[in-house]
Amino acid sequence: MNQPMDTGKDHRVVFQFVASDRPSQKALISNLRNLLDYWPEAEVEVVFHGPGITMVTTADAPLPELLRTLVHGYHLRLVVCGNTLRGHKLTQADLLPFVGTVPVAIAELIRKQEEGWAYIKAGL
Amino acid sequence: MNQPMDTGKDHRVVFQFVASDRPSQKALISNLRNLLDYWPEAEVEVVFHGPGITMVTTADAPLPELLRTLVHGYHLRLVVCGNTLRGHKLTQADLLPFVGTVPVAIAELIRKQEEGWAYIKAGL
Amino acid sequence: MNQPMDTGKDHRVVFQFVASDRPSQKALISNLRNLLDYWPEAEVEVVFHGPGITMVTTADAPLPELLRTLVHGYHLRLVVCGNTLRGHKLTQADLLPFVGTVPVAIAELIRKQEEGWAYIKAGL
């Protein structure tokens, strides 16, 4: 291997996802796959809020198996905004089983940046 | 209170807003309300530029009272890009009275990040 | 001059560009021009990926002369994601001659932020 030292171990990034269109959903998957293929040890969190929630509800998730594979294979955490959940009259039980929650999406995105994580707004 | 220590006092975030569609405008308000409800002492700035300016002109602002209430109740500052103002042949007098200006939106967003503020691109 | 000291020399920003609509393309040019007019010595990189690539291919680039002028006149670097290139079955030869590549767009955006660069998601 030519790059034995950068497995991505020390890289941390939080993605924000608010889109609900299919091209943006596919782009998010693609972003995650490309990144984790390149830096398999990177620590990644995706915060879904607003219309972005449709990507991770059992009712609407378009690509649940792809997400599950990524979550189980890498240091990837998917979380939904608690305010968004309540706004949609949903509970944790309506989310894909490997998806967590955070109280407030924007606060989570701020906190992660304060802790030194890079930030990426996903979606087209 | 269960969380007496995190009133948000030390959190600082700058939002970028360039959208002009109603759902994005509502989402921005919702982002701000949820954040300031959670961290009432947080320091927040929103930079409007490009088409985003329509949210804060007296002619077009869709939700001026909600914005006014937030500005007066929290540490929230709303500013418009000077280049955008000139591009629309508007002046400070065409903006909601509690809205300020900055010379260059992108420079403001850079400067705030350099000073340690978190950055969020708002809009759907 | 009242501000003789801030030529932008110490400011560094990486833009992410994934849009392919004309208004977003024009907004990016406008963002760059306004920024570099204000801070002519700023160091700027734009990372194009996904549909954003159309802005910098010889086949589709809508404003190649404007980009060329900016690249040659300032500390501006334009780069395309290698994964996006392959996904479009394109090579470096299909890009405008002053455009480079990076292996993985998201990794580049993370790395720049880790090095202290500000981050801006461009596009409307």
Side-chain angles (χ1 to χ4, degrees), chain B residues 11-53:
Chain B
H11 301 288
R12 299 173 300 162
V13 59
V14 62
F15 287 84
Q16 177 186 19
F17 194 74
V18 297
S20 57
D21 62 292
R22 189 58 62 96
S24 288
Q25 292 174 333
K26 285 186 177 174
L28 174 63
I29 295 282
S30 174
N31 288 171
L32 294 173
R33 291 172 83 158
N34 287 336
L35 177 65
L36 293 168
D37 186 51
Y38 186 65
W39 281 342
E41 298 293 335
E43 205 171 337
V44 180
E45 179 171 293
V46 186
V47 179
F48 298 88
H49 67 110
I53 193 177

Side-chain angles (χ1 to χ4, degrees), chain B residues 2-119:
Chain B
N2 291 319
Q3 303 164 323
M5 283 164 304
D6 199 353
T7 57
K9 196 169 173 309
D10 297 320
H11 301 288
R12 299 173 300 162
V13 59
V14 62
F15 287 84
Q16 177 186 19
F17 194 74
V18 297
S20 57
D21 62 292
R22 189 58 62 96
S24 288
Q25 292 174 333
K26 285 186 177 174
L28 174 63
I29 295 282
S30 174
N31 288 171
L32 294 173
R33 291 172 83 158
N34 287 336
L35 177 65
L36 293 168
D37 186 51
Y38 186 65
W39 281 342
E41 298 293 335
E43 205 171 337
V44 180
E45 179 171 293
V46 186
V47 179
F48 298 88
H49 67 110
I53 193 177
T54 55
M55 184 138 182
V56 289
T57 58
T58 49
D60 296 315
L63 303 160
E65 277 310 303
L66 281 176
L67 283 182
R68 194 184 60 78
T69 304
L70 288 171
V71 166
H72 291 157
Y74 298 93
H75 306 294
L76 170 63
R77 187 175 168 235
L78 309 180
V79 294
V80 169
C81 178
N83 284 315
T84 299
L85 263 188
R86 276 187 295 282
H88 285 71
K89 302 199 189 308
L90 298 175
T91 70
Q92 170 89 42
D94 298 298
L95 302 176
L96 297 175
F98 46 86
V99 173
T101 63
V102 291
V104 179
I106 299 296
E108 176 71 7
L109 295 166
I110 294 170
R111 213 165 349 213
K112 282 283 183 282
Q113 290 183 65
E114 290 169 351
E115 292 170 359
W117 293 51
Y119 160 78

